[in-house]
Amino acid sequence: MQKAGFFPREFLDELKIASNIITVASRYMPLRARGRQHWGLCPFHHEKTPSFAINEQQQYFKCFGCGESGNVITLVRQLESVDFNEAVELLAKWANITIPTAKIDPEYLVKRKKKERTLDVLEEARKFYYTNLGKDARAYLNNRGITDELIEKFSLGESNTWEGVLDHLKKRGFTEPEIIDAGVASKSERGKVYDAMAERITFPIFDIFGNCIGFTGRTLSNEKSVAKYRNTAQTAVFDKSSIVYGVDVLKREKRSGGDMAGLIVVEGNVDVISLVGAGFTNTLASMGTALTQFHARIFSRFSPNIYLCFDGDDSGQKAALRAVDILAGEGLNVRVIELPKDTDPDSFVTKNGKDAFEKLVRNAKPYIDFKLDYLEKISNLDDNIGKAEYLKRAGTILSTLGNTPEVELYLAKVSKLSGVSIDGVKRTLGSAPDKQLHVARPEVKLSNNAERMVIATFLNGIEKITDINLQFSTRLYAELYGIMSDCREWRLGNLELDDFAEEDRKTIIEILELTHDELKRNFPNAFKQMKKSHASKRITELQRLYDATDDLKVRAEYSKEIAKILKEKHA
């Protein structure tokens, strides 16, 4: 990973000034200004009450739920799953700032230039294929329900010769090795170079930045010896295991106000195109590969609610069983859309239409129900051995829910099928192996009594705010502090309780009920404790930043700030 020190400090400062963190964050999520902060639902974990705060003055974000924090570069790194260099390049592109190269590592510059050249090859190939889509290929797509509008939206094309794209790219100044490295061309054992997508309809694949990084080719031949689909080979920019198909279209739909209340996840390219064509614009695909945490984290940027819709055959159902655990493990709400046997999303919606698929979506099963129903289907419940095995595996499934009320909803069903009492099923849950308890759950945080005392003292007007940079680790307290800091003369009447969620209103009322004498007596120690706690956290953060850079000037600045904080802390 490239360190920040390889970019000139002056350039990074200019980039941060030009990249207002509120503007950048708004590309990904809706924000609401409250006090000195902007608030939104955290993009890094599932939540219902906004705990993701951005301080525009300090150009810094922090989530009071999962603890993620950082500046605008950190934000883009996390949201786009890229390294430091790629985040800087993306921000520079958005801000229309030229990246200076004088102080950047020469090896990195070579790699960057090669990557840019590879993307140029692929983009030129995409345009060539798109303009060469022939009548037969277009008719084939139209007959499958893929309209001309969808062809344009997904930039579908055709490679109708074995060398046409090679000649075209060479005329544009690209060399044969560059074309091969980009995966557009392949070389035979005899040394013959040919179009890797020759005589196929081309489905360009885009990364999360909108760059064409490869292709899927679909043959029109009926010969069994010819593979129906072919993907671009592994390259510097194309890795099939970490590709989400349709993300470029989805991002455009999201920006234009498309429905992202839930995300439909399918397996293949054509499934995405058909569902988008039917009006389900909130559809993505994992490119037919096993779904990974990478895919789950990309999905989570668009919605916490996932509707998994894999093929209706047995292999599709087994793939869904693996996928739901990964998605739930990332804190996503997962439901499974069950298709009739031997159908896929494309064939179903093409044959039955939008309304029929909408009904399947409405009837999608919570993933635990899906797993239990599948287990029932494959279990032998005609004898005690089969029932015992069913009970053991059902217990393992339910144990992933932990000690939650949700478990109670499934006990009666498992009890009935296994012939074991509900208490017996509960005992089975207690003996489930710990390794199965893999579903991510939010940590339970103890209340910070010092913060409670301080915020209550300010709310009641007993003490005036003199330090507007005081840091709170509790989301609600930080939000209240921001609102109070913005008021020249703070009065309790400035607070609109109706603006807060019910749970927050209850907390505010509770802290307002603390007595005047109690607050006056405890405030000095509580305030001092908070300042020390904030100083310790800031030192830890500065130490992390110090270790993350090789720039000696930057390190010196971090050391100076650490020394200053330590001096104030022990004063």
Side-chain angles (χ1 to χ4, degrees):
M1 183 182 294
Q2 207 77 10
K3 298 288 197 302
F6 285 104
F7 290 101
R9 178 63 186 275
E10 298 78 10
F11 162 72
L12 291 177
D13 290 342
E14 179 189 359
L15 180 66
K16 290 174 185 176
I17 292 170
S19 305
N20 186 294
I21 193 169
I22 300 297
T23 303
V24 173
S26 296
R27 285 174 169 263
Y28 303 96
M29 70 196 84
L31 297 171
R32 182 184 179 188
R34 298 185 68 171
R36 291 182 295 112
Q37 313 268 45
H38 284 70
W39 295 85
L41 293 174
C42 180
F44 306 121
H45 79 288
H46 174 54
E47 62 180 11
K48 294 181 179 179
T49 301
S51 63
F52 185 82
I54 303 179
N55 188 307
E56 187 169 16
Q57 182 181 3
Q58 297 179 2
Q59 289 292 296
Y60 196 80
F61 76 88
K62 177 178 176 61
C63 175
F64 292 88
C66 66
E68 290 286 351
S69 63
N71 60 24
V72 68
I73 298 176
T74 312
L75 182 67
V76 172
R77 286 185 63 180
Q78 295 281 64
L79 288 172
E80 298 289 1
S81 298
V82 295
D83 63 19
F84 181 88
N85 295 321
E86 291 169 319
V88 168
E89 290 171 5
L90 185 59
L91 286 167
K93 179 181 177 182
W94 289 343
N96 197 26
I97 295 176
T98 302
I99 299 177
T101 58
K103 296 183 181 179
I104 301 179
D105 178 36
E107 184 180 347
Y108 165 67
L109 286 175
V110 171
K111 290 181 179 178
R112 192 180 81 183
K113 186 175 181 180
K114 183 177 180 179
K115 180 181 176 181
E116 290 173 350
R117 191 71 171 168
T118 298
L119 292 174
D120 288 342
V121 171
L122 289 160
E123 176 59 17
E124 194 61 43
R126 180 199 65 78
K127 291 188 286 189
F128 176 81
Y129 293 144
Y130 178 72
T131 56
N132 279 275
L133 184 66
K135 291 183 179 179
D136 291 343
R138 187 178 292 274
Y140 165 80
L141 292 170
N142 290 162
N143 288 335
R144 290 198 60 173
I146 300 175
T147 63
D148 288 348
E149 182 184 354
L150 288 170
I151 288 171
E152 180 181 357
K153 181 173 286 189
F154 287 91
S155 195
L156 307 186
E158 183 184 11
S159 171
N160 42 32
T161 67
W162 287 84
E163 296 179 348
V165 75
L166 296 173
D167 295 338
H168 174 78
L169 290 172
K170 287 177 182 177
K171 288 178 182 177
R172 291 293 187 274
F174 299 106
T175 66
E176 197 168 88
E178 287 176 330
I179 300 170
I180 294 172
D181 286 345
V184 174
S186 297
K187 183 180 287 188
S188 68
E189 293 181 358
R190 295 182 179 180
K192 176 71 173 176
V193 178
Y194 60 93
D195 183 350
M197 294 290 135
E199 297 184 350
R200 292 174 181 270
I201 294 175
T202 56
F203 297 76
I205 299 163
F206 297 87
D207 64 13
I208 53 181
F209 306 127
N211 300 310
C212 178
I213 56 174
F215 301 91
T216 292
R218 208 287 186 192
T219 183
L220 295 178
S221 172
N222 293 319
E223 294 183 22
K224 293 184 178 179
S225 60
V226 179
K228 185 181 290 186
Y229 288 98
R230 175 181 294 163
N231 288 305
T232 295
Q234 184 96 358
T235 69
V237 298
F238 186 89
D239 180 359
K240 189 180 176 185
S241 65
S242 60
I243 288 171
V244 175
Y245 182 77
V247 71
D248 55 311
V249 173
L250 185 71
K251 287 175 80 170
R252 291 199 298 270
E253 292 290 341
K254 184 179 181 182
R255 283 195 291 269
S256 61
D259 177 21
M260 295 300 147
L263 197 67
I264 298 172
V265 175
V266 296
E267 291 184 276
N269 312 45
V270 177
D271 294 326
V272 172
I273 296 171
S274 293
L275 288 179
V276 169
F280 301 97
T281 56
N282 53 331
T283 305
L284 292 175
S286 57
M287 281 291 293
T289 61
L291 196 142
T292 65
Q293 283 185 322
F294 175 89
H295 294 116
R297 288 167 186 171
I298 294 293
F299 300 154
S300 68
R301 297 181 196 173
F302 298 97
S303 176
N305 305 310
I306 306 298
Y307 292 83
L308 200 65
C309 187
F310 284 5
D311 293 355
D313 58 16
D314 193 53
S315 62
Q317 297 305 286
K318 288 178 178 177
L321 285 169
R322 292 190 295 270
V324 293
D325 284 336
I326 292 170
L327 293 167
E330 289 298 313
L332 296 166
N333 301 321
V334 189
R335 289 179 175 266
V336 180
I337 299 171
E338 292 189 295
L339 294 172
K341 192 173 183 180
D342 298 327
T343 62
D344 55 36
D346 166 46
S347 62
F348 183 89
V349 78
T350 300
K351 180 181 178 181
N352 300 286
K354 179 180 180 179
D355 291 344
F357 190 80
E358 274 186 342
K359 185 177 180 180
L360 291 182
V361 175
R362 288 195 301 270
N363 295 329
K365 292 180 179 177
Y367 80 98
I368 292 292
D369 294 79
F370 169 72
K371 293 180 74 172
L372 287 175
D373 287 350
Y374 185 85
L375 176 60
E376 178 185 352
K377 188 166 54 178
I378 65 172
S379 296
N380 176 16
L381 299 173
D382 294 330
D383 57 48
N384 288 336
I385 294 176
K387 288 181 178 179
E389 180 61 23
Y390 165 81
L391 177 61
K392 179 182 177 182
R393 296 176 69 179
T396 297
I397 292 171
L398 294 185
S399 67
T400 62
L401 295 173
N403 186 23
T404 63
E406 190 179 355
V407 175
E408 298 287 337
L409 301 174
Y410 299 102
L411 293 178
K413 178 178 182 177
V414 174
S415 172
K416 181 179 179 180
L417 290 173
S418 65
V420 175
S421 68
I422 288 180
D423 286 340
V425 176
K426 288 182 177 180
R427 287 194 293 272
T428 301
L429 294 183
S431 62
D434 289 342
K435 66 181 180 180
Q436 297 295 335
L437 302 175
H438 59 275
V439 175
R441 302 182 186 91
E443 295 181 6
V444 178
K445 294 188 176 181
L446 297 175
S447 62
N448 186 322
N449 193 50
E451 291 192 356
R452 186 182 180 87
M453 285 290 174
V454 170
I455 203 69
T457 304
F458 289 146
L459 272 177
N460 283 283
I462 298 170
E463 294 285 344
K464 289 187 177 181
I465 294 175
T466 56
D467 180 1
I468 64 169
N469 293 316
L470 191 61
Q471 300 291 314
F472 286 83
S473 62
T474 306
R475 173 197 55 82
L476 176 59
Y477 298 165
E479 186 171 351
L480 290 169
Y481 188 67
I483 293 171
M484 287 187 288
S485 298
D486 276 357
C487 295
R488 291 184 179 180
E489 291 294 332
W490 166 251
R491 294 182 181 86
L492 194 54
N494 298 133
L495 194 65
E496 294 288 348
L497 285 179
D498 289 342
D499 288 343
F500 294 86
E502 183 178 355
E503 185 178 346
D504 288 345
R505 287 201 298 269
K506 289 179 180 178
T507 303
I508 293 170
I509 291 169
E510 286 174 5
I511 61 179
L512 286 173
E513 290 176 348
L514 293 171
T515 66
H516 183 282
D517 290 343
E518 183 182 8
L519 295 174
K520 195 74 174 175
R521 183 174 62 253
N522 290 299
F523 175 79
N525 286 336
F527 187 79
K528 187 175 182 181
Q529 182 182 334
M530 272 192 63
K531 294 283 283 186
K532 283 189 174 182
S533 175
H534 173 241
S536 297
K537 289 177 181 177
R538 180 59 181 159
I539 289 171
T540 301
E541 173 67 11
L542 288 168
Q543 189 63 56
R544 184 185 66 78
L545 294 171
Y546 180 95
D547 293 337
T549 181
D550 291 334
D551 190 310
L552 296 180
K553 287 184 178 180
V554 175
R555 282 192 163 194
E557 290 178 9
Y558 289 146
S559 296
K560 185 178 179 180
E561 187 174 350
I562 290 173
K564 180 182 178 182
I565 293 172
L566 285 172
K567 184 178 179 181
E568 293 174 349
K569 184 179 178 182
H570 298 296

